[in-house]
Amino acid sequence: MRVGVLVSGNGTNLQALLDAAARNELGVAQIAVVISNIPNVPALARAQRAQVPHAVVAHRDFASREAFDRAMAAELDAHQVEAVVLAGFMRILSPWFVARYPARIINTHPSLLPAFPGKDAPAQALAYGAKLSGVSVHFVDASLDGGPLIAQRAVPVRADDTAHSLHLRIQQQEHALLPSVVKALASGALTVSGRHVLGHDSDGHA
Amino acid sequence: MRVGVLVSGNGTNLQALLDAAARNELGVAQIAVVISNIPNVPALARAQRAQVPHAVVAHRDFASREAFDRAMAAELDAHQVEAVVLAGFMRILSPWFVARYPARIINTHPSLLPAFPGKDAPAQALAYGAKLSGVSVHFVDASLDGGPLIAQRAVPVRADDTAHSLHLRIQQQEHALLPSVVKALASGALTVSGRHVLGHDSDGHA
């Protein structure tokens, strides 16, 4: 299964996928193209180093969200992409785009959803006084951070944490979890029924 | 520190505390009295078996929530209680009662708060499609399930879970965690600053 990765910045989740691919840990998933909505970001250099096709589709060049999304979809089509991973991609996708890839768009969020949706989740967790937070990998639907959950991992909150130190600890889990979810998706192991997703290892049904 | 335990039913959390006390695992905490708002519940038999003083203060005998709470407080005073543990206690406490024991009332909730507050938290987690849930131990304040968190432990949600099987798995963690929190409270280890509670082992500051 050919996978497109959408990025906006540093691309550490992209790097986790590229590293997993180099170790043959993505199964039948292949990273077909990396698309950034912002030029010259580190994520594009990561794709370049890994000799993965990459492109810039600059959202500022388009009059509407959907026009931008259609240009991204054309680029994805040019690389015969069937599934999309959001790896630090900072734009909200149009309903048109989401409907084009049903149960085929994956995002990560740095909290145990439904706790702490939206921006700055690690800072939200600290402000709340949470003792555990973590990472959620989920399908993208029309809701913000509300699509069906595929996998979650917990991370302790330390007494001396800053939002930054907590986020780094969450990202360690995120970088381990995301490739395993992409592998499961590509293999056809994931089944979706309403809000319920089965088939990832962490279900205890490896 | 003399601790009062409020119960309404089966009292498995009470049993966890009684068992911990029998193993000398509550430190300087001593279970001084068990109070039930309902007569003849199994929790009272558990107190009886452990030779712990116990009493019934039946909420149906009182015209108002605060009158009921004042009767409970009188019973707690008679046993020189300084801190209160809610162990499956099914009544909402009045602001008067909560204010009488500032940062001295502990409750448990079968989810990783702020996710799934209120009733039937395990069923809520299943309906949402959560991959992790767990248990939260928190101080009680005027909000419902919103007081400062003391400790949280994660529990996996299995593909074949029912609300009952998930709740049983959560309770296993609850029964391990609650006595350690009561021990920490009684020792004076817990410090509260706004929503932030420090001093329980799970902070990594044992």
Side-chain angles (χ1 to χ4, degrees):
Chain A
M1 178 183 275
R2 295 175 63 82
V3 175
V5 183
L6 307 188
V7 300
S8 295
N10 192 19
T12 59
N13 273 324
L14 169 64
Q15 190 66 55
L17 291 171
L18 294 170
D19 292 347
R23 293 190 303 262
N24 291 312
E25 290 174 5
L26 286 188
V28 296
Q30 183 189 348
I31 303 176
V33 64
V34 173
I35 301 177
S36 175
N37 65 310
I38 299 175
N40 300 315
V41 292
L44 291 166
R46 294 179 193 273
Q48 171 83 32
R49 273 199 298 280
Q51 298 180 291
V52 167
H54 48 93
V56 174
V57 180
H59 65 277
R60 292 180 185 281
D61 293 347
F62 297 88
S64 74
R65 196 181 296 281
E66 190 174 315
F68 165 62
D69 283 1
R70 285 183 182 271
M72 280 202 304
E75 189 70 38
L76 293 169
D77 283 351
H79 291 86
Q80 297 161 284
V81 161
E82 295 172 78
V84 176
V85 176
L86 310 185
F89 182 68
M90 298 303 285
R91 305 295 296 174
I92 294 174
L93 296 167
S94 64
W96 176 85
F97 189 94
V98 172
R100 199 165 190 269
Y101 300 94
R104 286 288 183 279
I105 309 175
I106 285 175
N107 192 23
T108 66
H109 183 82
S111 77
L112 296 176
L113 292 168
F116 313 125
K119 291 236 177 215
D120 300 325
Q124 289 185 55
L126 282 184
Y128 190 86
K131 297 298 182 182
L132 282 180
S133 192
V135 60
S136 301
V137 184
H138 62 91
F139 283 120
V140 172
D141 64 13
S143 64
L144 176 66
D145 300 331
L149 292 166
I150 306 168
Q152 297 182 296
R153 291 279 160 82
V155 165
V157 179
R158 308 283 184 203
D160 57 357
D161 262 333
T162 61
H164 182 66
S165 65
L166 175 58
H167 201 178
L168 288 177
R169 193 176 310 116
I170 291 170
Q171 285 179 318
Q172 287 182 337
Q173 293 300 316
E174 193 174 10
H175 296 162
L177 194 56
L178 179 59
S180 76
V181 169
V182 170
K183 179 183 178 182
L185 174 68
S187 76
L190 302 186
T191 60
V192 185
S193 172
R195 291 201 55 79
H196 298 90
V197 184
L198 298 182
H200 186 260
D201 292 1
S202 67
D203 292 335
H205 290 247
Chain B
M1 176 181 276
R2 294 175 63 81
V3 175
V5 182
L6 307 188
V7 300
S8 295
N10 193 19
T12 59
N13 273 323
L14 169 65
Q15 191 65 55
L17 291 171
L18 294 170
D19 292 347
R23 292 190 302 261
N24 291 312
E25 289 175 5
L26 285 188
V28 297
Q30 184 189 348
I31 303 177
V33 64
V34 173
I35 301 177
S36 175
N37 65 311
I38 299 176
N40 300 315
V41 292
L44 291 166
R46 296 178 192 272
Q48 172 82 30
R49 274 199 297 280
Q51 298 181 292
V52 167
H54 48 94
V56 173
V57 180
H59 66 277
R60 293 179 184 281
D61 294 346
F62 297 89
S64 73
R65 196 181 295 280
E66 189 174 314
F68 166 62
D69 283 1
R70 284 182 184 272
M72 280 202 304
E75 189 69 37
L76 294 169
D77 283 352
H79 291 87
Q80 298 162 284
V81 161
E82 295 172 79
V84 176
V85 175
L86 309 185
F89 182 69
M90 298 302 285
R91 305 295 297 173
I92 293 173
L93 296 167
S94 64
W96 176 86
F97 189 95
V98 172
R100 198 164 190 266
Y101 301 93
R104 286 286 182 280
I105 310 175
I106 286 174
N107 192 23
T108 65
H109 183 81
S111 76
L112 295 176
L113 292 167
F116 313 124
K119 292 236 177 213
D120 300 325
Q124 288 185 55
L126 282 185
Y128 190 85
K131 296 299 183 182
L132 283 180
S133 191
V135 59
S136 301
V137 184
H138 62 90
F139 284 121
V140 172
D141 64 12
S143 64
L144 176 66
D145 301 331
L149 293 165
I150 306 168
Q152 297 181 295
R153 291 280 161 81
V155 165
V157 179
R158 308 284 184 202
D160 56 357
D161 263 331
T162 62
H164 181 67
S165 66
L166 175 57
H167 201 180
L168 288 176
R169 194 176 310 116
I170 291 170
Q171 285 179 320
Q172 287 182 337
Q173 293 299 316
E174 194 174 8
H175 295 161
L177 194 56
L178 179 60
S180 75
V181 169
V182 171
K183 179 184 179 183
L185 174 68
S187 75
L190 301 185
T191 60
V192 186
S193 171
R195 292 201 53 80
H196 298 90
V197 184
L198 298 183
H200 186 260
D201 293 0
S202 67
D203 292 336
H205 292 249

